[in-house]
Amino acid sequence: MTKQPNDNAKKSHSSHWGAFSGQWVDGKLVITPHPIDPDPNPIIQNFPEALRHKARIAKPMVRRGWLENGPGPDDRRGRDAFVEMEWDEVLDLLAGELKRVKDAYSAKAIYGGSYGWSSAGRFHHAQSQIHRFLNVALGGYVRSVNSYSAGASTVLIPHILGNYEDMTRRNIGWDEIVEHTDIILAFGGMNTKNSRVAGGGISKHTEHRDMIALSKRGGELVLISPLKSDLPDEVNQDWVAARPGTDVALMLGIAHTAVMDGTHDRAFLASHTHGWNTFEDYLMGRSDGQPKDAAWAAAITGLTADAILKLARRLPGKRALFVVAHSLQRAKHGEQPVWMASVLSAMFGQSGLPGGGFGYALGAIANYGRHQNAVPIAGLPQGKNGVSEFIPVARVSDMLLNPGAPFEYNGAHMTYPDIKLVYWAGGNPFHHHQDLNRLRKAFAQVDTLVVHDLAWTASARHADFVLPCTMSLEREDIGSSQTDPMMVAMHQMAEPFGDARDDYAIFTGLSERLGAADAFTEGRTPREWLKHLYQPTYDGLKAKGIDAPDFDAFWAAGEVMLPQLPLDGGTLRAFREDPEGTPLPTTSGKIEITSDTIASFGYDDCPGHPVWLTPEDVVDAANPLQLVANQPASRLHSQLDFGGHSSAEKRRGREVARMHPIDADARGIKDGDIIRLFNQRGACLASVVVTEDVMAGVVQLPTGAYYDPEDPNEEKPLCVHGNPNVLTRDTGTSRLAQGCTGQLTVVNVEKFTGNLPPIQAYDPPVPVIWPRPPKLEAAE
Ligand code: PGD
């Protein structure tokens, strides 16, 4: 493998946020977006400064308390010292601990869900690596299902429409929208900061261009969001600022108006849907005495009844598309807006039409609304998991704090497993999970916590074993996603930082010690794996008669273009055209406006048809503002938070919150001040931008600033950097999906007038000198 950090050649590479090239010029790494990208994501500029940043982890470390006392629950995690170790020593120690847990409790005591986005390369993809390792070397692990992105919709959509992947990836396409759509109601918007990201990589960011093309053709885009920035300014003529979390009430108001006006498509409802009458009884108030009319919706949403009536009356006769962003369902009762948007789509007879109907998370990620590749792409086989137990991914603290406790999920009565060892690679739970003070308690419960990361995330700081891994720039890989036609040869551009190793090398070292090296590596070096993983793509291209480059030619060229399939509207369009011949894979074979299956579960927090449910978090005297904790624009989640672009977007080193002048004035807060956001769960600092682009009553603080507790010895320390997950509630969307609800909560805000505490989140811990355990010395 070539390792030439000072080689001046331009080298191809890729990330979830775009394809690019890197070149060393005068000792500096210069990153240039791929020339075919019309709208590159500026966050690729986080790479150069991040590469050798002090926040990188240089050496394996083990927590002193773990070395002193051995495995076991310990609330010193996150505030303990670390001891540096050499790789052989740390791998021996960890392999021994893995074996101890497996022998004493079986693989059912290992939680390897290890949720997280890690990096774009398909071979070094950390989730695939860790799952393969745990399956092959330890016989399996307790896994997690679903995602923090789409926890509610992943469970709901199969009940009401069919396969989740089919509905999100094949139902609606941007090409058809540009050509056919008359009006988009974008609930939660289509913010290009989100659609500039695609899992696995992306060569052309086209959503912005497509929205402008639609608008130029006369298509209308209506933004429904508390944040004006959730749709590009050029197409944002119609900002409907409904209170956060009230979209279902607005949708019901629109539906009620259509029924009163007689503008709903009764024929389509009769031929293609199941359970309209039950829902109509609810909508019109026949079953509960409350018509969901515009006046009712106005009181909940903060809009006027007239505005709701007018919005409803813009839809009939038009090719209408109802888009629901991921963010709407990342909240309590998040199933409801997704379900209700599908009902609106059916009511107006739009489901399955080109450019019409229901676009779940369109514009919330660039994997959706695009053509699918016609040939397979690389993916590391993960082996077979011998453990059947799982949790919905966002229930991790519940699991660790309540072993053996019952919980409900999608009609099943389940029990939380008793976890002794948690193994994380490629994710940052102290970024992605809610109520971080509760998460700290949860991580204090386990015997052992292992984290591989490239940087000192708070997750790494809470671990017992911290294993430094390479960044994608420091290794070779293949970047590819099923929805992008460019497969990228990700060339190595730099030597590994310090003693960092690839996740693959770390797992190989552990597999050797656990007697599973051959099974894990199959005898291949990383380069041989890349060749192996490229082969199905090569074969697929050949089978289509395409003059495919062999691996060496692909590697030398830096990329290969893959053929793509035409948009076909997926199963929903086929169902629309022939409801009897090609039924949907739902219980009734139709679009389920009422689901008898969900009704049979008897969940009051997710009954058998969409309903308005009052959220758990409502503003009151103690917490008078709604907090929107959304995705950041300056990085992907918490990745490379310390990079150049992310750092430049902060003010006084803090993450930037935004609030309306009315709320700022009421608190004596001025643009540029440092504010303290707080509620019963925790508190954090942020700098503030005062702007009318955020509706009054709302404060917005994006996720992703590294958690930075001022005094980790406190039960609820102040995060001095601006991580909103110290404030969010750790509760599932409902008993149906148990999805993440991190998007919304309620808080209070005040001007921070104390001495500004320093940012320490990027300072590596200073290792302590510690006598090595006698058993290790004896083994030498
Ligand atoms: P990332 O910051 O992407 O966040 O949560 P996720 O855990 O995915 O974490 C990836 C980690 O992997 C980083 O620490 C990075 O350094 C590390 N990494 C990168 N490459 C490698 C590698 O090759 N090997 C290893 N071992 N590590 C690597 C994201 C999650 O957050 C998601 S998807 C969503 S949608 C949620 N969004 C919200 C939200 O909107 N609001 C709130 N309040 N909370 C959320 N949390 C969720």
Side-chain angles (χ1 to χ4, degrees):
M1 185 162 53
T2 50
K3 293 186 183 175
Q4 298 163 315
N6 296 317
D7 165 357
N8 287 344
K10 237 184 186 187
K11 291 180 176 171
S12 55
H13 210 78
S14 186
S15 63
H16 297 304
W17 44 93
F20 61 92
S21 62
Q23 187 173 24
W24 288 94
V25 180
D26 298 332
K28 279 184 69 181
L29 182 63
V30 177
I31 299 288
T32 312
H34 197 286
I36 68 166
D37 192 343
D39 183 25
N41 192 334
I43 71 178
I44 54 175
Q45 299 305 342
N46 278 324
F47 275 117
E49 207 171 300
L51 187 61
R52 294 293 176 254
H53 196 277
K54 65 175 178 181
R56 295 289 309 273
I57 309 173
K59 281 192 84 78
M61 299 257 204
V62 181
R63 190 173 64 80
R64 180 170 62 184
W66 195 95
L67 288 170
E68 276 169 3
N69 302 329
D74 193 342
D75 65 8
R76 281 177 295 175
R77 290 195 178 102
R79 56 194 178 90
D80 205 353
F82 285 98
V83 177
E84 259 179 21
M85 282 209 179
E86 297 304 322
W87 274 110
D88 275 348
E89 199 175 24
V90 81
L91 291 176
D92 286 349
L93 202 57
L94 179 53
E97 171 59 2
L98 289 165
K99 194 168 167 346
R100 179 192 76 84
V101 173
K102 167 86 191 292
D103 291 349
Y105 307 101
S106 89
K108 287 182 186 175
I110 299 173
Y111 181 62
S114 184
Y115 180 82
W117 268 61
S118 60
S119 49
R122 297 298 83 192
F123 170 62
H124 290 289
H125 182 240
Q127 267 59 51
S128 308
Q129 290 286 346
I130 184 175
H131 295 156
R132 179 178 171 82
F133 164 71
L134 292 172
N135 287 336
V136 168
L138 292 160
Y141 59 95
V142 173
R143 69 192 199 283
S144 60
V145 296
N146 312 329
S147 65
Y148 277 78
S149 300
S153 49
T154 314
V155 178
L156 176 74
I157 285 176
H159 286 291
I160 64 168
L161 288 168
N163 181 274
Y164 176 82
E165 293 296 320
D166 188 64
M167 287 304 146
T168 51
R169 290 175 190 250
R170 290 179 61 208
N171 167 24
I172 291 292
W174 279 107
D175 292 358
E176 291 185 341
I177 292 169
V178 171
E179 195 180 341
H180 298 287
T181 307
D182 296 321
I183 183 165
I184 301 181
L185 296 199
F187 291 91
M190 294 188 286
N191 194 325
T192 52
K193 76 175 161 58
N194 300 329
S195 60
R196 282 203 185 124
V197 169
I202 175 167
S203 57
K204 280 185 178 180
H205 296 90
T206 48
E207 283 74 5
H208 190 248
R209 181 197 72 187
D210 288 344
M211 280 188 256
I212 288 176
L214 168 67
S215 177
K216 280 199 174 140
R217 189 180 52 73
E220 303 165 69
L221 292 102
V222 181
L223 167 67
I224 299 117
S225 169
L227 312 175
K228 184 163 178 278
S229 55
D230 276 341
L231 204 59
D233 280 344
E234 299 93 317
V235 297
N236 192 357
Q237 312 302 331
D238 265 328
W239 178 28
V240 178
R243 284 187 190 116
T246 65
D247 302 79
V248 175
L250 172 58
M251 292 180 196
L252 286 165
I254 292 171
H256 185 278
T257 307
V259 172
M260 292 302 285
D261 290 352
T263 53
H264 58 314
D265 189 337
R266 288 177 200 186
F268 187 80
L269 287 172
S271 57
H272 285 76
T273 71
H274 172 79
W276 167 258
N277 290 341
T278 311
F279 173 73
E280 198 193 66
D281 284 349
Y282 166 77
L283 181 69
M284 307 314 285
R286 292 190 285 267
S287 56
D288 67 351
Q290 174 60 66
K292 314 303 173 300
D293 57 19
W296 169 86
I300 295 171
T301 57
L303 303 170
T304 64
D306 189 48
I308 297 172
L309 291 170
K310 282 193 177 128
L311 190 55
R313 288 173 181 152
R314 285 169 72 175
L315 299 168
K318 292 197 180 142
R319 181 64 54 87
L321 177 61
F322 302 88
V323 169
V324 176
H326 277 319
S327 57
L328 262 71
Q329 53 85 67
R330 201 179 298 127
K332 194 71 191 173
H333 310 131
E335 296 81 2
Q336 303 307 317
V338 180
W339 201 344
M340 192 55 213
S342 164
V343 171
L344 282 181
S345 155
M347 279 185 73
F348 287 99
Q350 300 296 298
S351 312
L353 283 172
F358 171 59
Y360 175 69
L362 184 86
I365 188 162
N367 297 104
Y368 297 173
R370 292 179 175 245
H371 294 256
Q372 300 288 310
N373 291 336
V375 293
I377 60 160
L380 183 69
Q382 297 181 17
K384 193 170 158 10
N385 188 346
V387 175
S388 57
E389 278 82 350
F390 68 89
I391 56 162
V393 67
R395 302 277 45 85
V396 59
S397 290
D398 285 356
M399 170 182 71
L400 298 176
L401 290 166
N402 307 294
F407 70 101
E408 289 179 82
Y409 168 70
N410 200 13
H413 294 269
M414 299 173 59
T415 305
Y416 286 122
D418 189 356
I419 297 299
K420 302 292 178 196
L421 185 144
V422 173
Y423 205 138
W424 226 287
N428 182 7
F430 273 86
H431 158 68
H432 65 232
H433 198 60
Q434 286 55 65
D435 196 349
L436 295 183
N437 289 319
R438 186 167 186 256
L439 182 68
R440 293 171 80 212
K441 290 199 177 98
F443 277 159
Q445 303 302 313
V446 298
D447 283 4
T448 300
L449 174 59
V450 189
V451 168
H452 298 193
D453 208 300
L454 54 93
W456 279 107
T457 63
S459 307
R461 289 173 201 274
H462 282 76
D464 302 310
F465 286 81
V466 181
L467 303 185
C469 71
T470 49
M471 193 166 162
S472 73
L473 298 177
E474 297 161 344
R475 59 196 186 215
E476 296 181 335
D477 214 328
I478 295 176
S480 192
S481 117
Q482 198 53 52
T483 48
D484 195 276
M486 186 188 287
M487 182 176 262
V488 181
M490 295 169 64
H491 288 172
Q492 183 180 358
M493 298 187 199
E495 295 282 358
F497 182 80
D499 286 356
R501 288 186 178 178
D502 298 346
D503 294 293
Y504 178 67
I506 301 170
F507 289 130
T508 300
L510 289 170
S511 300
E512 281 162 359
R513 287 159 173 83
L514 293 165
D518 290 346
F520 180 70
T521 66
E522 295 180 20
R524 294 190 187 97
T525 63
R527 176 62 83 89
E528 285 164 350
W529 269 108
L530 298 187
K531 281 188 183 170
H532 179 68
L533 297 182
Y534 178 72
Q535 194 62 35
T537 308
Y538 177 79
D539 293 342
L541 291 169
K542 280 277 180 211
K544 291 201 169 305
I546 296 169
D547 184 18
D550 64 13
F551 178 82
D552 291 338
F554 156 62
W555 199 254
E559 63 193 49
V560 58
M561 296 307 288
L562 309 178
Q564 294 202 294
L565 299 168
L567 294 175
D568 65 1
T571 52
L572 199 51
R573 180 145 333 143
F575 165 69
R576 179 184 182 94
E577 285 162 6
D578 181 8
E580 304 298 328
T582 49
L584 289 176
T586 58
T587 309
S588 62
K590 296 183 174 186
I591 297 168
E592 302 233 331
I593 289 176
T594 298
S595 161
D596 299 338
T597 307
I598 294 178
S600 76
F601 299 156
Y603 296 150
D604 54 358
D605 54 2
C606 188
H609 57 72
V611 291
W612 164 252
L613 295 166
T614 310
E616 221 165 357
D617 281 337
V618 286
V619 291
D620 57 17
N623 294 311
L625 296 172
Q626 284 188 283
L627 172 72
V628 175
N630 61 351
Q631 301 289 321
S634 57
R635 59 189 169 258
L636 172 64
H637 313 135
S638 69
Q639 295 205 26
L640 311 185
D641 177 40
F642 45 90
H645 182 65
S646 172
S647 303
E649 295 296 305
K650 299 185 190 206
R651 286 194 187 180
R652 295 164 76 186
R654 323 285 138 161
E655 195 56 42
V656 176
R658 297 189 300 156
M659 65 194 298
H660 193 276
I662 291 176
D663 300 315
D665 289 350
R667 292 165 176 80
I669 292 170
K670 301 218 163 16
D671 194 275
D673 280 348
I674 298 293
I675 56 170
R676 179 172 166 268
L677 301 92
F678 58 101
N679 63 17
Q680 62 277 31
R681 284 177 289 279
C684 69
L685 301 183
S687 63
V688 70
V689 165
V690 178
T691 168
E692 293 189 348
D693 289 353
V694 174
M695 71 181 283
V698 171
V699 55
Q700 176 249 334
L701 178 63
T703 56
Y706 272 23
Y707 173 63
D708 196 349
E710 183 181 28
D711 179 0
N713 295 309
E714 287 179 9
E715 196 192 339
K716 293 182 182 177
L718 175 73
C719 170
V720 302
H721 193 188
N723 184 329
N725 275 327
V726 295
L727 302 160
T728 51
R729 189 193 282 270
D730 185 7
T731 179
T733 50
S734 77
R735 287 186 281 166
L736 183 82
Q738 298 283 10
C740 160
T741 57
Q743 187 72 186
L744 294 179
T745 192
V746 289
V747 294
N748 206 344
V749 169
E750 64 183 11
K751 182 171 169 166
F752 180 75
T753 51
N755 289 333
L756 197 54
I759 299 292
Q760 299 182 66
Y762 311 136
D763 296 343
V766 179
V768 291
I769 307 296
W770 186 79
R772 298 164 73 217
K775 63 178 178 192
L776 286 183
E777 279 163 8
E780 282 172 0

